[in-house]
Amino acid sequence: MEQGVEVQSILKSLEPEDAVSEARPDDSIFTQLLERIVQGYSLSIESGAEESDSLEILLDGVSDSVLIVSPSGSILNANQSFYRTFGYERETLIGSEVFALLPPSHQDIFRQKFADFGRREGQRHSASSDDILAFRGVRRDGTILTLDCLLSGVQCRGKPAVLMLIRDLSFDHALFEQLKETKDHYVALSETITEAIFRLDEDFTIIFANSGVKNTFGFERGEVVGKPFGILFPPEVFSQHEAEFKKYFFVDDADRLALGLKRTLEVLGATKNRGVAPMEMSFGNSKDYKGRTLTCVIRDITQRKTLERKLRHLAYHDKLTGLGNRDLFNEDIKSLLGRARDDPGWRGAVLFLDLDGFKRVNDTLGHSAGDELLIETGRRLRVCLRDRDSAYRFGGDEFVVVLGGIKETQDASLVAERILSTVGIPYILRSKGKNAGSKVNVGVSIGVAVIPEYGSSLEEATRNADIAMYCSKEAGKNRYTLYDPIITAKATEHWKTEQELAAAMTSGGLSLAYQPIVGPDGRVRGMEALLRWRRTDGRMVPPSEFIPLAEANGTVIALGEWALRKACYDTRKLHARGYSDVFVSVNLSGRHFDQANLVPTLADIVRRSGLPPGSLCIEVTETAVMKNTQDAIERIKEIKRLLPGIRFMIDDFGTGYSSLAYLSRLPVDALKIDISFVTQLAEPQNQKIVNAILNLARNLQLDTIAEGIETREEWQYFARRKCGAMQGYYILRPSTLGKVAALIERQARGKSTLQPTPSG
Ligand code: C2E
Ligand code: MG
Ligand code: MG
C-alpha cells in the first residue's frame, strides 16, 4: 500500500460530521487522522497485507507519543516520540505492560478504560472528553512527566486494541506555572502598593483599578471601573490635561523623551471625600490582542508637597520674623529685574533698612527683648506694604523691602515715609521677665534705590540701596535717602576709611601715644594712653575724627580692646624697668562701656597682661556713665570685684549733665576736669566751675585731674587749689613710651624740669 494513497484516502473520508467536538478542540482533526491511520493499519493487516514501513515512518513523524496497547495493557506498538519521551530504546517495550510507565495511583483508571475498550470489541468509537486522561508518567530515569492522553478504541490485527495519543505537557505545564506565578506576583504587587493603578482603554474608560484606588482617591474599585478617567480630576483640570494624557496613550514609552513628554506629571486629582489633592502620575502603554491600553499609576503627593513647602519655607525664610531671607530676596529680585527688562515701563524699588539704636536695646534689655523688637518690626513692615511688595530680613537689624512695581520715584518715598513713622512708634515689651512693659523706641535708617535706573542687576540694586542707607545714618539716622550717584562718592570714601581702620589693628597702622599725668609735686604718677592712627597714605588721623566713626560702626569695641591690651603690656614693660608705681589710664568709649560682655573681656585682658589691676585706671566719659546710671554703677562694681584695685575716672567732667545724686553713688575714683575749662580759664565763669568741681570732688572724696595744662599759670592755678594731678603740653605732649620713660628716669635722677609750685 502506498502511504501517500492511504493518507489521502483517510483525509478524504474525514467528513465534517465525524469531527470529535469534545476532544481537544485544536487536536480533533489530528486525532481523527491518527485514528484512521491506525484503522487503516489494522485493515491492511487484516487484509493480509504486510505491515509496511510507511506506517512506522508516518507515526514517527508525529511529535506526540503514540502507543497501541491491547485491552490487557500490553504494548503492541509505539512510535519514535514515545521512546524518546519515556527514555527507552526502540521496541524494547513491545510486549511489556504499559502500567509500569504509570504511577500506581493512575494504573487502575487505565486498566478500567482499557477493559472498556476491550468489551466494545473494537467497535468504532470516536474519542470523547471522557477519553482524555491527564496523568503523571514515569520516565525510565524516574523523572515524572506531566502528560495528557487521548484514548481511542481501534482494531489491531482484527482484535480490539487501544490507541494512546500521549502529549508531554511538562514544558507547557512549567510555562503555565511560571505564568501563573508571574501573574500572582503582579496581582500581589498591584494590591500591595498604596498607589492607584488604572488601565484605560482607547475611550479613556477605566477597565481596571487596583485596591490602591481606595487609598488614593477614596473610591471603591467598583465605583470607578467602567467609568471615564475624567472622574478622578476636577473637570477644569481634566480638560486642561486631556490632550496631554492622550499623547501618553499613543506615544510609546521609548519615544516619549524625544517628544518632550515628561516621565511623570503633577496634577490636581479629585478625591471622593478629601476634595482636591496633588497627584503624581506616570504612564505605561501596552498592546494586547484587544488593542492598545494605557496603564496609569497615580500617587497622592500631598505629604510630599507639604514637606517641600515646609523645607522651602525654612530655606527661604527668617526663623524669627517669618520674613523672606537673603536667598529669597536674591531670587525675587532676579525675577523682578527680568520683568523690568521685558517691560521698559516697569519700575520698582529696593529699600535697605537698618534699625537705629537696636544694639542698645539688645545690650541693655537683653536678647529676648531684641528678638521681640525684630518680630514687631517685621510685622510693622508688612503693614506698610501692598500685596505685591515684599519684606526680607537680612540678619541682625537689617531689613530689605522690595516694591514690586511703582509709577514714579515719589511712590517709593511715600512707602519709606510710612515705614519711618510706623517703625518709629514706641513699642511696649510684652515678653515675661524683668523688662516686661518696658517701652522701647528705635528709629530706622532707610536707603532707596529705584530700579531699573539705579539697579539693573541684583548686585547694583543692593549696593546702591545700601549706600543710600548709609547716607541716612550719616545724616543723623531715622530718615530715608534716595540713591543718587553723587552721594556714592562720599559714601565710598567713608567705607574705605572704615575698612582701613578695621585693618589697621592688624597691619600696624595703630599705635598708642602716652601722656604723663603728674602730681602737684611734678612727679609722674601715671600716663594716659591715646590712640594714634597712621593711614596707609602716611597721613595721621586724629582720634577726634576716627573714634566717632568707629563708634558708629562698632569697630570702637575692637579698637578699645586693642588699646587696653597694648597699654597693659607697655605699662608692664615700664614696671619691669623699675617704675612699678606708675599707672596707666585707658579711655573706654561709651559704646564699648555698654557692651554686654564688657566685664568678662576686660577682666580677661587685664589678667592675661599680668598688670596689677591697681596700676590701671579706666576713663569713661560723663555722658557714657550718666546715660544709664544704674547699669553703670553695677557694671563698675562688678569690674572692681573681678579686678580689685582697678580705678575708674570720669573723663571730660563738666561737659555733660551729671546727676549729683547718682554721682555720689557711682563707684568712681576720680574726676577729670574737661579741657575746655582749662583752656578758657581766663573766663571767671570757668574758674567758678573749676572751683566747684574741685570742691565737689573733695567732698565726695574723689581724686581730681586737670587736663590740657599748657602754661605755667594754668599749672599753678590747679596746683594751688590742691588738684590731685595734672596733664598737658606744659608737662609733655602725648609721646612715645620711650619718651615718657625717659622723663620718669630723669625725675628719678632728680633732674626734672618741672618745678613743684610753692604751696600757699
Ligand atoms: P581725651 O581722653 O579727653 O584725651 C585728651 C585729649 O587732649 C587728647 O587728644 C590729648 O592729646 C589732648 N591734650 C592733652 N594735653 C593737651 C594740651 O595741653 N592742650 C590740648 N589742646 N590738648 C591736649 P587726642 O589724643 O586727640 O584724643 C582725643 C580724644 O580721643 C580723647 O579725649 C579721647 O576721648 C579719644 N581717644 C583717644 N584715645 C582713645 C582710645 O584709646 N579709646 C577711646 N575710646 N577714645 C580715645
Ligand atoms: Mg581721656
Ligand atoms: Mg578728656
Side-chain angles (χ1 to χ4, degrees), residues 667-709:
V668 293
D669 307 273
L671 303 180
K672 201 181 229 189
I673 303 164
D674 189 64
I675 200 164
S676 58
F677 303 115
V678 182
T679 328
Q680 292 156 41
L681 203 54
E683 284 180 27
Q685 189 67 18
N686 283 343
Q687 288 186 19
K688 278 185 198 160
I689 295 175
V690 165
N691 291 339
I693 295 176
L694 288 171
N695 276 329
L696 177 74
R698 204 166 296 129
N699 288 332
L700 293 175
Q701 290 170 327
L702 299 174
D703 201 0
T704 42
I705 295 177
E707 65 177 334
I709 306 288

Short mmCIF file of all heavy atoms in Angstrom, two decimals, residues 667-709:
data_model
loop_
_atom_site.label_atom_id
_atom_site.label_comp_id
_atom_site.label_asym_id
_atom_site.label_seq_id
_atom_site.Cartn_x
_atom_site.Cartn_y
_atom_site.Cartn_z
N PRO A 667 30.59 104.25 91.78
CA PRO A 667 31.83 103.81 92.43
C PRO A 667 33.08 104.23 91.63
O PRO A 667 33.92 103.40 91.30
CB PRO A 667 31.68 102.30 92.49
CG PRO A 667 30.67 101.96 91.48
CD PRO A 667 29.89 103.16 91.11
N VAL A 668 33.18 105.55 91.30
CA VAL A 668 34.35 106.02 90.56
C VAL A 668 35.35 106.64 91.55
O VAL A 668 35.02 106.93 92.70
CB VAL A 668 33.99 107.07 89.47
CG1 VAL A 668 33.17 106.44 88.37
CG2 VAL A 668 33.29 108.27 90.06
N ASP A 669 36.59 106.81 91.05
CA ASP A 669 37.66 107.23 91.96
C ASP A 669 38.14 108.65 91.68
O ASP A 669 38.77 109.26 92.53
CB ASP A 669 38.83 106.27 91.81
CG ASP A 669 38.38 104.84 91.99
OD1 ASP A 669 38.37 104.38 93.15
OD2 ASP A 669 37.98 104.19 90.99
N ALA A 670 37.90 109.12 90.46
CA ALA A 670 38.44 110.44 90.14
C ALA A 670 37.60 111.14 89.09
O ALA A 670 36.86 110.50 88.34
CB ALA A 670 39.88 110.28 89.65
N LEU A 671 37.72 112.47 89.05
CA LEU A 671 37.07 113.27 88.02
C LEU A 671 38.17 113.95 87.23
O LEU A 671 39.13 114.46 87.80
CB LEU A 671 36.17 114.34 88.65
CG LEU A 671 35.08 113.88 89.61
CD1 LEU A 671 34.30 115.10 90.15
CD2 LEU A 671 34.11 112.92 88.91
N LYS A 672 38.01 113.91 85.90
CA LYS A 672 38.99 114.61 85.06
C LYS A 672 38.30 115.84 84.51
O LYS A 672 37.34 115.72 83.74
CB LYS A 672 39.46 113.69 83.93
CG LYS A 672 40.78 114.11 83.33
CD LYS A 672 41.14 113.16 82.20
CE LYS A 672 42.56 112.66 82.35
NZ LYS A 672 43.02 111.92 81.18
N ILE A 673 38.76 117.01 84.96
CA ILE A 673 38.12 118.27 84.56
C ILE A 673 38.32 118.47 83.06
O ILE A 673 39.43 118.34 82.55
CB ILE A 673 38.71 119.45 85.36
CG1 ILE A 673 38.53 119.18 86.86
CG2 ILE A 673 38.07 120.77 84.96
CD1 ILE A 673 39.39 120.06 87.74
N ASP A 674 37.23 118.76 82.40
CA ASP A 674 37.30 118.86 80.93
C ASP A 674 38.25 119.96 80.48
O ASP A 674 38.34 121.03 81.09
CB ASP A 674 35.91 119.10 80.35
CG ASP A 674 35.94 118.98 78.83
OD1 ASP A 674 36.22 117.86 78.36
OD2 ASP A 674 35.72 119.99 78.14
N ILE A 675 38.93 119.65 79.39
CA ILE A 675 39.96 120.52 78.83
C ILE A 675 39.44 121.94 78.53
O ILE A 675 40.17 122.93 78.68
CB ILE A 675 40.56 119.86 77.57
CG1 ILE A 675 41.94 120.45 77.23
CG2 ILE A 675 39.62 119.93 76.38
CD1 ILE A 675 42.72 119.58 76.26
N SER A 676 38.16 122.04 78.19
CA SER A 676 37.62 123.35 77.80
C SER A 676 37.69 124.37 78.94
O SER A 676 37.90 125.56 78.70
CB SER A 676 36.18 123.19 77.31
OG SER A 676 35.41 122.60 78.33
N PHE A 677 37.49 123.91 80.18
CA PHE A 677 37.53 124.83 81.33
C PHE A 677 38.96 125.34 81.55
O PHE A 677 39.19 126.47 81.95
CB PHE A 677 37.03 124.16 82.61
CG PHE A 677 35.63 123.62 82.46
CD1 PHE A 677 35.37 122.25 82.51
CD2 PHE A 677 34.57 124.51 82.27
CE1 PHE A 677 34.09 121.78 82.38
CE2 PHE A 677 33.28 124.02 82.14
CZ PHE A 677 33.03 122.67 82.18
N VAL A 678 39.91 124.42 81.26
CA VAL A 678 41.31 124.76 81.49
C VAL A 678 41.78 125.78 80.43
O VAL A 678 42.40 126.79 80.75
CB VAL A 678 42.19 123.50 81.46
CG1 VAL A 678 43.65 123.84 81.75
CG2 VAL A 678 41.66 122.48 82.45
N THR A 679 41.42 125.48 79.17
CA THR A 679 41.86 126.35 78.08
C THR A 679 41.31 127.77 78.24
O THR A 679 41.98 128.74 77.90
CB THR A 679 41.37 125.77 76.72
OG1 THR A 679 41.34 124.37 76.81
CG2 THR A 679 42.30 126.17 75.59
N GLN A 680 40.08 127.82 78.73
CA GLN A 680 39.49 129.16 78.88
C GLN A 680 39.35 129.56 80.35
O GLN A 680 38.32 130.04 80.80
CB GLN A 680 38.12 129.18 78.20
CG GLN A 680 38.24 129.05 76.68
CD GLN A 680 36.99 128.49 76.07
OE1 GLN A 680 35.90 128.88 76.48
NE2 GLN A 680 37.14 127.59 75.12
N LEU A 681 40.42 129.30 81.04
CA LEU A 681 40.44 129.56 82.48
C LEU A 681 40.33 131.07 82.79
O LEU A 681 39.90 131.45 83.88
CB LEU A 681 41.74 129.00 83.07
CG LEU A 681 41.73 128.68 84.55
CD1 LEU A 681 40.59 127.75 84.93
CD2 LEU A 681 43.05 128.03 84.94
N ALA A 682 40.68 131.87 81.76
CA ALA A 682 40.63 133.32 81.96
C ALA A 682 39.20 133.79 82.27
O ALA A 682 39.00 134.77 82.97
CB ALA A 682 41.16 134.01 80.72
N GLU A 683 38.24 133.04 81.75
CA GLU A 683 36.85 133.44 81.99
C GLU A 683 36.46 133.13 83.43
O GLU A 683 36.58 131.98 83.88
CB GLU A 683 35.91 132.68 81.04
CG GLU A 683 35.98 133.22 79.64
CD GLU A 683 35.04 132.48 78.70
OE1 GLU A 683 34.02 131.93 79.18
OE2 GLU A 683 35.36 132.42 77.50
N PRO A 684 35.97 134.15 84.10
CA PRO A 684 35.60 133.96 85.52
C PRO A 684 34.58 132.82 85.70
O PRO A 684 34.65 132.07 86.67
CB PRO A 684 34.99 135.30 85.92
CG PRO A 684 35.39 136.26 84.87
CD PRO A 684 35.74 135.52 83.63
N GLN A 685 33.69 132.69 84.73
CA GLN A 685 32.66 131.64 84.80
C GLN A 685 33.31 130.26 84.89
O GLN A 685 32.89 129.42 85.70
CB GLN A 685 31.78 131.74 83.54
CG GLN A 685 30.55 130.89 83.54
CD GLN A 685 29.55 131.36 84.59
OE1 GLN A 685 29.62 132.52 85.08
NE2 GLN A 685 28.64 130.48 84.97
N ASN A 686 34.34 130.09 84.07
CA ASN A 686 35.02 128.79 84.05
C ASN A 686 35.77 128.55 85.36
O ASN A 686 35.83 127.42 85.84
CB ASN A 686 35.98 128.72 82.86
CG ASN A 686 35.21 128.47 81.58
OD1 ASN A 686 34.06 128.04 81.62
ND2 ASN A 686 35.84 128.75 80.45
N GLN A 687 36.34 129.63 85.89
CA GLN A 687 37.05 129.47 87.17
C GLN A 687 36.08 129.00 88.25
O GLN A 687 36.40 128.13 89.06
CB GLN A 687 37.70 130.78 87.57
CG GLN A 687 38.90 131.11 86.70
CD GLN A 687 39.64 132.33 87.17
OE1 GLN A 687 39.52 132.77 88.33
NE2 GLN A 687 40.44 132.92 86.27
N LYS A 688 34.86 129.58 88.20
CA LYS A 688 33.84 129.19 89.20
C LYS A 688 33.53 127.70 89.05
O LYS A 688 33.43 126.97 90.04
CB LYS A 688 32.57 130.02 88.99
CG LYS A 688 32.63 131.38 89.62
CD LYS A 688 31.28 132.05 89.47
CE LYS A 688 31.43 133.57 89.69
NZ LYS A 688 30.31 134.32 89.12
N ILE A 689 33.38 127.27 87.82
CA ILE A 689 33.05 125.86 87.57
C ILE A 689 34.17 124.97 88.07
O ILE A 689 33.94 123.97 88.77
CB ILE A 689 32.75 125.61 86.07
CG1 ILE A 689 31.48 126.38 85.67
CG2 ILE A 689 32.60 124.13 85.77
CD1 ILE A 689 31.15 126.33 84.20
N VAL A 690 35.41 125.35 87.72
CA VAL A 690 36.56 124.54 88.13
C VAL A 690 36.60 124.43 89.66
O VAL A 690 36.76 123.34 90.22
CB VAL A 690 37.87 125.15 87.57
CG1 VAL A 690 39.09 124.56 88.25
CG2 VAL A 690 37.93 124.94 86.06
N ASN A 691 36.41 125.56 90.32
CA ASN A 691 36.44 125.54 91.79
C ASN A 691 35.33 124.67 92.35
O ASN A 691 35.53 123.91 93.31
CB ASN A 691 36.32 126.95 92.35
CG ASN A 691 37.58 127.77 92.05
OD1 ASN A 691 38.66 127.19 91.81
ND2 ASN A 691 37.47 129.10 92.04
N ALA A 692 34.15 124.77 91.72
CA ALA A 692 33.02 123.95 92.18
C ALA A 692 33.33 122.47 92.01
O ALA A 692 33.05 121.66 92.91
CB ALA A 692 31.77 124.32 91.39
N ILE A 693 33.93 122.12 90.86
CA ILE A 693 34.27 120.69 90.62
C ILE A 693 35.27 120.22 91.69
O ILE A 693 35.12 119.13 92.25
CB ILE A 693 34.82 120.49 89.20
CG1 ILE A 693 33.74 120.81 88.15
CG2 ILE A 693 35.34 119.06 89.01
CD1 ILE A 693 34.22 120.74 86.70
N LEU A 694 36.28 121.06 91.94
CA LEU A 694 37.31 120.66 92.91
C LEU A 694 36.70 120.46 94.29
O LEU A 694 37.01 119.48 94.98
CB LEU A 694 38.42 121.71 92.95
CG LEU A 694 39.34 121.76 91.72
CD1 LEU A 694 40.27 122.96 91.76
CD2 LEU A 694 40.16 120.47 91.61
N ASN A 695 35.76 121.34 94.66
CA ASN A 695 35.10 121.22 95.97
C ASN A 695 34.22 119.97 96.03
O ASN A 695 34.25 119.24 97.01
CB ASN A 695 34.22 122.45 96.23
CG ASN A 695 35.06 123.58 96.81
OD1 ASN A 695 36.05 123.34 97.52
ND2 ASN A 695 34.70 124.82 96.48
N LEU A 696 33.51 119.80 94.95
CA LEU A 696 32.62 118.63 94.88
C LEU A 696 33.43 117.34 95.05
O LEU A 696 33.08 116.47 95.84
CB LEU A 696 31.90 118.63 93.52
CG LEU A 696 30.99 117.45 93.21
CD1 LEU A 696 29.70 117.58 94.02
CD2 LEU A 696 30.66 117.40 91.72
N ALA A 697 34.53 117.26 94.30
CA ALA A 697 35.38 116.07 94.35
C ALA A 697 35.92 115.87 95.76
O ALA A 697 35.93 114.75 96.28
CB ALA A 697 36.53 116.22 93.36
N ARG A 698 36.35 116.95 96.37
CA ARG A 698 36.89 116.83 97.72
C ARG A 698 35.82 116.28 98.65
O ARG A 698 36.07 115.37 99.42
CB ARG A 698 37.37 118.22 98.18
CG ARG A 698 38.44 118.17 99.25
CD ARG A 698 39.12 119.51 99.43
NE ARG A 698 39.84 119.94 98.23
CZ ARG A 698 39.71 121.13 97.64
NH1 ARG A 698 38.84 122.02 98.11
NH2 ARG A 698 40.42 121.45 96.58
N ASN A 699 34.59 116.83 98.53
CA ASN A 699 33.51 116.39 99.40
C ASN A 699 33.12 114.93 99.14
O ASN A 699 32.75 114.21 100.06
CB ASN A 699 32.29 117.28 99.24
CG ASN A 699 32.53 118.64 99.85
OD1 ASN A 699 33.32 118.78 100.80
ND2 ASN A 699 31.91 119.67 99.27
N LEU A 700 33.21 114.55 97.89
CA LEU A 700 32.86 113.16 97.57
C LEU A 700 34.09 112.24 97.70
O LEU A 700 34.01 111.05 97.38
CB LEU A 700 32.30 113.06 96.14
CG LEU A 700 30.95 113.73 95.89
CD1 LEU A 700 30.58 113.65 94.41
CD2 LEU A 700 29.85 113.08 96.72
N GLN A 701 35.15 112.81 98.17
CA GLN A 701 36.42 112.08 98.33
C GLN A 701 36.88 111.43 97.02
O GLN A 701 37.24 110.26 96.98
CB GLN A 701 36.32 111.05 99.44
CG GLN A 701 36.22 111.74 100.78
CD GLN A 701 35.88 110.80 101.90
OE1 GLN A 701 35.15 109.83 101.70
NE2 GLN A 701 36.40 111.08 103.08
N LEU A 702 36.81 112.26 95.96
CA LEU A 702 37.28 111.79 94.67
C LEU A 702 38.56 112.55 94.32
O LEU A 702 38.71 113.73 94.66
CB LEU A 702 36.23 112.04 93.58
CG LEU A 702 34.87 111.36 93.76
CD1 LEU A 702 33.89 111.82 92.68
CD2 LEU A 702 35.04 109.84 93.67
N ASP A 703 39.43 111.85 93.63
CA ASP A 703 40.66 112.48 93.16
C ASP A 703 40.32 113.39 91.98
O ASP A 703 39.28 113.21 91.35
CB ASP A 703 41.63 111.36 92.72
CG ASP A 703 43.06 111.85 92.69
OD1 ASP A 703 43.30 113.03 93.01
OD2 ASP A 703 43.94 111.02 92.33
N THR A 704 41.17 114.35 91.67
CA THR A 704 40.91 115.21 90.52
C THR A 704 42.14 115.29 89.63
O THR A 704 43.28 115.22 90.10
CB THR A 704 40.54 116.65 90.94
OG1 THR A 704 41.41 117.03 92.01
CG2 THR A 704 39.11 116.77 91.35
N ILE A 705 41.87 115.39 88.34
CA ILE A 705 42.95 115.58 87.37
C ILE A 705 42.54 116.74 86.46
O ILE A 705 41.39 116.79 86.01
CB ILE A 705 43.19 114.32 86.53
CG1 ILE A 705 43.69 113.17 87.42
CG2 ILE A 705 44.20 114.58 85.42
CD1 ILE A 705 43.89 111.88 86.69
N ALA A 706 43.46 117.64 86.22
CA ALA A 706 43.20 118.70 85.25
C ALA A 706 43.95 118.37 83.98
O ALA A 706 45.17 118.12 84.04
CB ALA A 706 43.64 120.04 85.83
N GLU A 707 43.24 118.34 82.87
CA GLU A 707 43.95 118.02 81.62
C GLU A 707 44.02 119.26 80.74
O GLU A 707 43.26 120.21 80.91
CB GLU A 707 43.29 116.84 80.89
CG GLU A 707 41.89 117.09 80.37
CD GLU A 707 41.34 115.88 79.60
OE1 GLU A 707 42.12 115.10 79.05
OE2 GLU A 707 40.10 115.75 79.58
N GLY A 708 44.96 119.25 79.82
CA GLY A 708 45.11 120.39 78.90
C GLY A 708 45.91 121.53 79.52
O GLY A 708 45.75 122.69 79.11
N ILE A 709 46.74 121.22 80.50
CA ILE A 709 47.59 122.25 81.11
C ILE A 709 48.68 122.63 80.11
O ILE A 709 49.52 121.80 79.77
CB ILE A 709 48.24 121.72 82.42
CG1 ILE A 709 47.18 121.19 83.40
CG2 ILE A 709 49.15 122.78 83.05
CD1 ILE A 709 46.34 122.25 84.05
#
